[in-house]
């Protein structure tokens, strides 16, 4: 839809490889990046709607050995843009 969304970014090392991890929380269709806000929204949803539906969505990719990290990050963002409509069908 062209809407912007915030995601968390982390780099983790497993053995000698670095992996980029992009993740966010999907709470009843609301995309939330902040962990504390996700906890709060889950608690409010439990109190008001008597349900605590939600998912943590993670995209983990091995980082390339090349130094073009911006292109790699842009490719990952594009993958998220393409996956988001499909994920919406599975998560709601």
């Amino acid at each position: 839809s062209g809407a912007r969304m915030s995601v968390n970014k982390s780099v983790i090392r497993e053995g000698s490889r670095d992996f980029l991890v992009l993740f966010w929380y999907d709470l009843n269709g609301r995309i939330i990046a902040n962990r504390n806000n996700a906890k709060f929204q889950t608690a409010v949803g439990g109190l008001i709607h008597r349900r605590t539906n939600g998912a943590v969505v993670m995209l983990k990719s091995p980082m390339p050995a090349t130094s073009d990290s911006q292109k790699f990050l842009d490719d990952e963002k594009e993958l998220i843009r393409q996956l988001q409509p499909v994920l919406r069908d599975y998560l709601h």
Side-chain angles (χ1 to χ4, degrees):
S1 71
R4 295 182 59 90
M5 64 183 256
S6 295
V7 301
N8 297 300
K9 178 177 79 167
S10 181
V11 176
I12 60 171
R13 179 169 285 254
E14 292 181 3
S16 62
R17 296 285 319 247
D18 286 336
F19 292 86
L20 174 68
V21 180
L22 301 174
F23 66 99
W24 62 93
Y25 307 93
D26 187 313
L27 306 175
N28 297 313
R30 278 188 75 191
I31 305 298
I32 299 173
N34 183 283
R35 180 181 59 162
N36 291 327
N37 189 13
K39 287 181 182 182
F40 175 75
Q41 294 298 327
T42 300
V44 168
L47 291 171
I48 294 174
H49 303 291
R50 300 187 58 85
R51 65 174 188 229
T52 56
N53 303 13
V56 178
V57 182
M58 301 179 91
L59 178 66
K60 176 183 169 186
S61 304
M63 295 189 67
T66 65
S67 62
D68 193 3
S69 59
Q70 187 58 48
K71 178 171 179 356
F72 174 67
L73 184 58
D74 290 342
D75 289 346
E76 295 299 296
K77 289 178 184 178
E78 181 60 28
L79 178 59
I80 290 172
R81 277 188 210 95
Q82 293 178 15
L83 281 176
Q84 192 58 31
V86 177
L87 288 174
R88 189 175 307 122
D89 290 340
Y90 283 99
L91 298 175
H92 308 138

